[in-house]
Amino acid sequence: MIPFPVRVVGVMEKTHTVIRHAQRARENTFMLLRKKSLTVLLAVLMALAPAVALAIANTGPRSETEAREYNKRQQEQRANEAAAQLVFLTDAITRDPEDPLAYYQRGRFYSEYAHRDEKLALVDFDAAIRLKPDFAKAYSRRAAIRAALKDYEGSADDLIAALKLDPKASDIRSRLATLCYASPDESVRDLIKARQLLEEIVDDSDGADRGHMSLLAGVCAELGDFENAVKWETQRLTDAPAGVSASRKNLETYQRGEFVSELRTQMSLRL
């Protein structure tokens, strides 16, 4: 008969052996599952590889001839889409000739550079405003078209009307300030008005609008107020890494008691 302590030790050894086998079986199972997962993933990738390669190959042209054909197809597609859009917008006007929004939308269509036609856009914006005299966006759009047609006085009138209808529209205020500062038409140019509008924009932004701050500095300099020109350009440089070199050059100019003559030319390109 095996003594009791020996029996206990034997049972414990068998128990440990069983536990080790169980752990090993679990590890082997995990490894098998992992290998199977990788095998399945690899199989999926291999199956998709031809389709992926084909998609990459078809994303663009591979020769000059194909490039010309590709560009031609793209242009034809855009032209067809534009034609369809114009038919839709014109049909909306035909169905309801008293709808100002329909004329506004078609005016926007004619305002886009892909199919730009300032004269047709102007006709539609005129109609939209005639049907809805408080249509601020139509005034704003018509102002841009009038500026493009070099009717700067008419553009200023439209921006003033739009701003009265929508006093919080910072984009309209910005465009009017730019027009008052950089208009090629001297009868429209009004530096004092430009300064007032720019100060409002900067104040409303709590000093975060660096671009308008720099323009405000330029306007102050042209008015002979170099103290404020230096002040605003210095503030514009604070925590504003973009455009630092140009801004520093402007600051040095203002500190010498001179204004930046090319600034107005640069801004006139935005009209």
Side-chain angles (χ1 to χ4, degrees):
M1 185 174 180
I2 301 174
F4 178 75
V6 175
R7 287 202 306 258
V8 171
V9 171
V11 170
M12 291 179 65
E13 288 178 350
K14 289 180 179 179
T15 302
H16 286 305
T17 300
V18 171
I19 292 173
R20 282 198 302 273
H21 284 306
Q23 289 176 338
R24 192 171 300 158
R26 185 178 63 180
E27 291 173 0
N28 290 337
T29 301
F30 284 154
M31 289 181 65
L32 181 62
L33 289 173
R34 189 178 302 168
K35 287 180 178 178
K36 285 186 175 180
S37 297
L38 290 173
T39 301
V40 171
L41 178 60
L42 183 59
V44 171
L45 291 175
M46 290 179 67
L48 289 175
V52 172
L54 182 62
I56 293 173
N58 289 334
T59 54
R62 289 170 292 179
S63 68
E64 290 185 9
T65 302
E66 290 181 349
R68 285 194 295 270
E69 290 296 324
Y70 177 80
N71 290 334
K72 183 179 178 182
R73 289 195 301 271
Q74 291 294 309
Q75 290 173 0
E76 289 175 350
Q77 181 179 347
R78 285 193 291 268
N80 291 335
E81 290 173 353
Q85 185 180 2
L86 181 57
V87 169
F88 175 80
L89 293 170
T90 302
D91 183 59
I93 293 173
T94 302
R95 284 186 279 107
D96 187 358
E98 300 300 313
D99 182 6
L101 186 59
Y103 289 99
Y104 172 78
Q105 295 291 5
R106 194 173 67 174
R108 286 187 59 186
F109 173 86
Y110 286 131
S111 300
E112 295 174 3
Y113 285 101
H115 29 259
R116 190 172 176 86
D117 190 322
E118 287 95 348
K119 292 182 179 179
L120 290 177
L122 187 62
V123 170
D124 279 342
F125 290 136
D126 284 345
I129 292 169
R130 175 177 54 79
L131 293 167
K132 185 176 170 58
D134 61 347
F135 202 160
K137 289 184 177 180
Y139 280 106
S140 177
R141 290 275 181 173
R142 191 173 70 175
I145 293 298
R146 282 181 161 176
L149 293 170
K150 303 190 184 307
D151 178 11
Y152 301 109
E153 186 175 357
S155 180
D157 290 341
D158 278 347
L159 288 172
I160 291 170
L163 195 59
K164 286 180 179 178
L165 293 167
D166 189 1
K168 294 183 179 181
S170 59
D171 61 321
I172 297 174
R173 195 182 302 169
S174 173
R175 287 167 54 202
L176 181 56
T178 303
L179 185 61
C180 288
Y181 170 61
S183 172
D185 185 346
E186 292 187 6
S187 67
V188 176
R189 203 177 303 154
D190 186 341
L191 295 181
I192 295 175
K193 181 66 174 178
R195 176 176 181 167
Q196 175 193 340
L197 292 165
L198 290 167
E199 286 175 344
E200 292 173 359
I201 293 171
V202 172
D203 287 344
D204 287 348
S205 71
D206 293 326
D209 194 328
R210 306 291 177 184
H212 286 101
M213 197 176 291
S214 188
L215 181 55
L216 175 56
V219 172
C220 288
E222 288 212 34
L223 286 168
D225 184 359
F226 294 104
E227 181 180 350
N228 275 304
V230 170
K231 167 194 164 184
W232 289 118
E233 200 66 54
T234 301
Q235 190 170 338
R236 181 258 180 272
L237 280 165
T238 306
D239 301 325
V244 166
S245 58
S247 191
R248 283 178 179 163
K249 184 179 178 181
N250 291 347
L251 178 59
E252 291 170 1
T253 303
Y254 304 147
Q255 289 171 334
R256 293 196 303 267
E258 302 172 359
F259 65 86
V260 180
S261 57
E262 60 268 23
L263 181 60
R264 180 182 294 170
T265 303
Q266 294 171 3
M267 298 308 298
S268 67
L269 298 175
R270 302 185 182 183
L271 297 176

